[in-house]
Amino acid sequence: MIHVHHAQATRWSAQKRYWEYVDQQVVTQMVEKGITELTGTTTVEDAWRKLLPGYQRGEAIAIKLNFNNTIWESCTGESGQINALPQPVNAVIAGLKSIGVEETDIWLFDGVNRIIPEYFVAGIAFPKVRFFDRCHEPVTYDSQEDSAFVSLHPPEGVQMPTRQKIADVLLQTKYLINMPILKSHSCSSISLGFKNHLGSIDNPGGLHSHIFLVSACGGGFTPQYSPLVDLYLNPNIRDKTILIIGDGLFGAKGSEDAFPTTWSTFGGKVPNSLFFSTDPVAIDSVMADFLRAEPGAGIMKQADEYLLLAEQAGLGKAERGDPWGKGYQEIGYQKIEG
């Protein structure tokens, strides 16, 4: 679990169009440092080869982005709320291309009714990558393969969630990179890597009643069960995910639809951070701790209890720790200053 921080990653000071105040060169260096440290390699090419040991030319690699704050926007909309940034994605694409991955085999997506806005598309430096969303190639849910259906297994006494299907783009790809955003959520309290996959299914609203902690949101949270774990156990997610990169360059605190603000725990600046792991539970654990430490983030006590269930399911290591102090006993957390 690698955390790369670089004070010059952004030069934002409350301007509109925050995505224009990100330094591509610095972010690329951060991504390269993160994956080489994570894989114990010395070159970017070796790092990607280690992450994709069986890669063969022509196999597709999907990148799950987070555009949750575009659901009410047009294709050209610019609300200014937190959404995915193009700069980390550019660095990932460049790394994949360095080992021979064709641009047309790199698929950027977010499903249901979300869009990848035109300003983001314009910020991607590789014109042949494919975009799957409401405004470009459609995200469909048509497959009838067994693995297209999420197996939901609530314990006795817990209501069965609404049936869910996995996006066809994930059935058709060979590998998956998950790129969640470091952010709070007004109903579930946190929105990280596991919850990012609500954009990979056809009816995310059908799971809200099980994962929301706030009764006013229709929440019926129980620590006994989280459908987020069943969702991640789907083989199109569990078996295809090679890397998780948490985008904490700006982050969002207080709610999922927040605008960028400074963080007191990062010295009155934005976090300027990227997180790297192959363990989906560990990276959510660490990002949750950063949110918990930040005044005003509004993190509820039970927000990360789904991670205990994920650990029990064999998905990774869950641990609450102190990334600003004593660190972790179980998670191998390493912070690198750029």
Side-chain angles (χ1 to χ4, degrees):
M1 167 65 221
I2 303 295
H3 170 198
V4 181
H5 174 264
H6 198 301
Q8 280 73 54
T10 66
R11 56 188 184 278
W12 179 81
S13 55
Q15 301 98 328
K16 295 181 179 179
R17 297 172 63 90
Y18 61 90
W19 52 88
E20 294 182 346
Y21 297 88
V22 181
D23 189 310
Q24 180 66 68
Q25 183 176 356
V26 171
V27 170
T28 297
Q29 292 170 356
M30 293 170 72
V31 171
E32 291 176 349
K33 186 67 172 177
I35 64 167
T36 52
E37 290 290 339
L38 181 67
T39 57
T41 55
T42 57
T43 70
V44 175
E45 292 82 1
D46 285 346
W48 283 110
R49 289 190 188 101
K50 192 167 184 177
L51 290 166
L52 293 159
Y55 174 75
Q56 298 181 25
R57 186 177 291 272
E59 292 175 331
I61 301 171
I63 301 177
K64 173 60 178 73
L65 303 174
N66 188 298
F67 284 102
N68 194 56
N69 289 322
T70 66
I71 57 175
W72 307 115
E73 295 292 331
S74 68
C75 300
T76 58
E78 298 181 3
S79 70
Q81 296 161 304
I82 288 294
N83 282 303
L85 291 164
Q87 291 84 3
V89 181
N90 278 331
V92 169
I93 296 170
L96 293 172
K97 288 191 64 177
S98 75
I99 61 168
V101 180
E102 299 288 343
E103 289 182 24
T104 51
D105 293 328
I106 300 171
W107 302 351
L108 312 185
F109 84 100
D110 202 1
V112 200
N113 56 351
R114 303 168 186 178
I115 68 170
I116 300 176
E118 289 306 312
Y119 73 80
F120 181 94
V121 175
I124 295 298
F126 303 93
K128 295 181 181 179
V129 299
R130 296 173 67 182
F131 298 91
F132 293 82
D133 69 316
R134 183 156 50 95
C135 292
H136 301 90
E137 296 187 61
V139 180
T140 57
Y141 300 86
D142 298 332
S143 175
Q144 295 301 309
E145 293 182 25
D146 289 345
S147 71
F149 298 88
V150 178
S151 296
L152 299 166
H153 301 286
E156 185 176 354
V158 176
Q159 184 177 359
M160 175 66 73
T162 304
R163 190 201 74 160
Q164 300 292 333
K165 288 190 72 177
I166 295 288
D168 294 332
V169 68
L170 283 183
L171 275 81
Q172 295 162 3
T173 194
K174 178 72 173 180
Y175 303 99
L176 173 62
I177 298 171
N178 189 15
M179 296 187 71
I181 299 172
L182 173 70
K183 64 178 178 176
S184 303
H185 195 281
S186 55
C187 295
S188 64
S189 193
I190 58 175
S191 181
L192 303 170
F194 275 73
K195 191 173 178 299
N196 196 34
H197 280 300
L198 291 190
S200 299
I201 52 178
D202 64 339
N203 184 18
L207 302 186
H208 286 172
S209 61
H210 289 70
I211 65 174
F212 283 176
L213 283 76
V214 179
S215 58
C217 299
F221 168 82
T222 171
Q224 299 172 270
Y225 175 68
S226 174
L228 295 179
V229 178
D230 283 341
L231 173 55
Y232 208 98
L233 286 168
N234 182 276
N236 294 291
I237 295 176
R238 179 196 61 203
D239 298 342
K240 294 181 179 182
T241 301
I242 61 157
L243 178 66
I244 307 100
I245 302 177
D247 176 2
L249 292 173
F250 290 94
K253 60 180 184 178
S255 69
E256 71 280 8
D257 55 357
F259 293 79
T261 58
T262 57
W263 293 48
S264 61
T265 49
F266 283 91
K269 301 180 182 300
V270 296
N272 285 313
S273 295
L274 294 173
F275 303 88
F276 302 82
S277 186
T278 56
D279 181 333
V281 185
I283 192 169
D284 269 24
S285 294
V286 172
M287 289 195 291
D289 287 336
F290 274 101
L291 285 165
R292 188 178 293 109
E294 174 65 18
I299 304 307
M300 303 174 195
K301 184 177 180 180
Q302 294 179 302
D304 58 352
E305 290 197 1
Y306 71 93
L307 296 172
L308 299 176
L309 299 172
E311 182 181 56
Q312 293 168 15
L315 290 173
K317 177 58 66 177
E319 182 182 5
R320 281 189 179 181
D322 179 10
W324 291 112
K326 295 180 180 179
Y328 300 86
Q329 297 298 313
E330 302 293 331
I331 294 174
Y333 171 73
Q334 180 184 357
K335 182 179 179 182
I336 299 169
E337 288 291 339

